[in-house]
Amino acid sequence: MTRQHAHHEPEDHGHGHGHGHGHGHGRSVAARLRHLVTPHSHDSADRVDTALETSAKGLRALAWSFGGLMLTAVVQLGIVLITGSVALLSDTIHNFADALTSIPLAIAFVLGRRAASRRYTYGFGRAEDLAGIVVVTLIAASAALAGFESVRRLLDPQPMAHAWVAMLAGVAGFAGNELVARYRIRVGREIGSAALVADGLHARTDGFTSLAVVVGALGSMVGFPLADPIIGLCITVAILAVLRGAAREVLGRLMDAVEPDVTEHVEQTAAAVPGVGAVRQVRVRWLGHSLRAELDVAVDGALDVTSAHAICHEVERALIGAVPRLTAATVHTEPVVGAADAHR
């Protein structure tokens, strides 16, 4: 017996943001820095809103962060024209690319608001995953261009004009990126968007690479012009590190990857429902900002259809109430003994 329901998201699951990254005190400085710049998933969300509210928050965050990053990049570009700093140029290119990632994400948020149809029966939540591919492509292009410019300047080193101005631009780049990063990450966690959180972490990494421009300017001021292209190459490596993490996240979503503890949570929650003898074949996938589960539960074979049907309802209610971002579940019941014979 199989049941399937499409549920509206509840207003609040009442769960904390337990993503298990260990925000407690006592960690080393290196560990804290790795936590800040490493792209990692925040699939759980503090609060679950309706699809319309979720997309509206995401679009608002993208609009403001787009404006902030474009302003930062334009200011830096003006300083690049004055100083000729290749390290600053690399950082500016990346900031422009990072700002442009807001466009495909915004399109995905708008598409995700469309209702399911007879052709797209699961809705349009996958649009965010497709936007992620565009984001990864833009990051790769920015890494290639920044690396090319750095190598060109390394082969033909030139002194940096107005190095102190480049230093100020690096500080400005860090401030602008950090503000955008905090905003994207906060909103991404609120609405359960892994793509928006990853994009925020991407902006945070850009902020630290902006500080590297300051080092390049200092090198130029003390008579070491190669410091500028060398720092440019370091920024390229940092972009590639972000690219690796972003690609893993996006491809994981496309392959229906979820954190193993989410699957375990589904299993444990379903097994705790009275009348469930065993939980088998658990499958969980992301569709946009929401999770969807499919599972088999074994019940007493002597139960009538009505009783087994009631257990299905209880499992479904328990899962949606306990698993953050889970909005629908398909529950299949089978007898504890003899189920394998029925499937032959």
Side-chain angles (χ1 to χ4, degrees):
M1 178 172 64
T2 304
R3 297 184 54 255
Q4 180 174 345
H5 287 283
H7 287 266
H8 294 293
E9 296 179 340
E11 290 300 320
D12 196 338
H13 282 164
H15 296 281
H17 187 57
H19 49 73
H21 292 301
H23 289 284
H25 299 287
R27 293 188 301 168
S28 67
V29 174
R32 293 182 181 184
L33 287 176
R34 282 196 300 271
H35 176 75
L36 284 175
V37 303
T38 302
H40 54 291
S41 176
H42 287 271
D43 285 343
S44 297
D46 288 327
R47 189 164 66 89
V48 179
D49 301 298
T50 65
L52 187 62
E53 291 171 341
T54 296
S55 60
K57 285 185 177 181
L59 288 170
R60 186 162 55 247
L62 289 172
W64 280 103
S65 60
F66 175 82
L69 284 177
M70 286 297 290
L71 178 61
T72 301
V74 168
V75 170
Q76 287 185 317
L77 180 60
I79 298 176
V80 166
L81 297 177
I82 297 174
T83 64
S85 168
V86 68
L88 184 57
L89 176 61
S90 299
D91 193 40
T92 303
I93 291 170
H94 197 195
N95 282 332
F96 271 119
D98 194 24
L100 292 175
T101 60
S102 299
I103 296 176
L105 284 175
I107 294 173
F109 279 130
V110 172
L111 283 176
R113 298 165 71 168
R114 297 180 60 181
S117 65
R118 295 285 291 179
R119 182 176 180 83
Y120 297 96
T121 55
Y122 282 96
F124 296 83
R126 287 289 189 191
E128 189 172 331
D129 299 328
L130 296 178
I133 296 178
V134 178
V135 171
V136 169
T137 302
L138 287 173
I139 297 173
S142 67
L145 185 55
F148 173 79
E149 288 295 330
S150 297
V151 171
R152 185 176 68 84
R153 188 61 63 90
L154 191 63
L155 298 175
D156 183 23
Q158 298 179 14
M160 184 190 303
H162 307 292
W164 65 272
V165 181
M167 292 176 61
L168 293 178
V171 174
F174 170 75
N177 275 286
E178 180 61 19
L179 288 173
V180 168
R182 288 176 179 269
Y183 186 42
R184 284 181 174 178
I185 291 171
R186 178 175 62 81
V187 176
R189 287 175 179 170
E190 287 180 358
I191 68 175
S193 172
L196 191 55
V197 170
D199 216 20
L201 290 169
H202 176 203
R204 173 164 285 166
T205 304
D206 291 348
F208 284 106
T209 59
S210 293
L211 290 182
V213 174
V214 178
V215 179
L218 285 172
S220 181
M221 291 174 69
V222 299
F224 184 53
L226 286 178
D228 185 44
I230 290 173
I231 294 300
L233 288 174
C234 291
I235 291 176
T236 302
V237 172
I239 297 173
L240 290 174
V242 173
L243 174 64
R244 179 176 179 272
R248 175 185 293 180
E249 186 76 17
V250 170
L251 293 177
R253 282 293 182 95
L254 288 173
M255 293 295 293
D256 288 331
V258 295
E259 295 295 326
D261 59 347
V262 174
T263 306
E264 184 178 355
H265 192 17
V266 170
E267 290 175 339
Q268 293 176 348
T269 300
V273 174
V276 174
V279 179
R280 303 162 180 162
Q281 295 294 322
V282 175
R283 296 167 295 278
V284 188
R285 58 159 50 170
W286 280 97
L287 288 175
H289 308 310
S290 303
L291 284 168
R292 188 181 189 92
E294 300 174 8
L295 64 156
D296 300 341
V297 296
V299 300
D300 187 349
L303 291 176
D304 56 32
V305 173
T306 301
S307 299
H309 183 245
I311 292 175
C312 272
H313 268 296
E314 290 304 316
V315 170
E316 194 172 37
R317 289 194 193 99
L319 290 175
I320 293 175
V323 181
R325 307 308 308 177
L326 184 69
T327 58
T330 300
V331 183
H332 171 74
T333 56
E334 59 187 26
V336 175
V337 179
D341 294 334
H343 288 298
R344 289 177 182 173

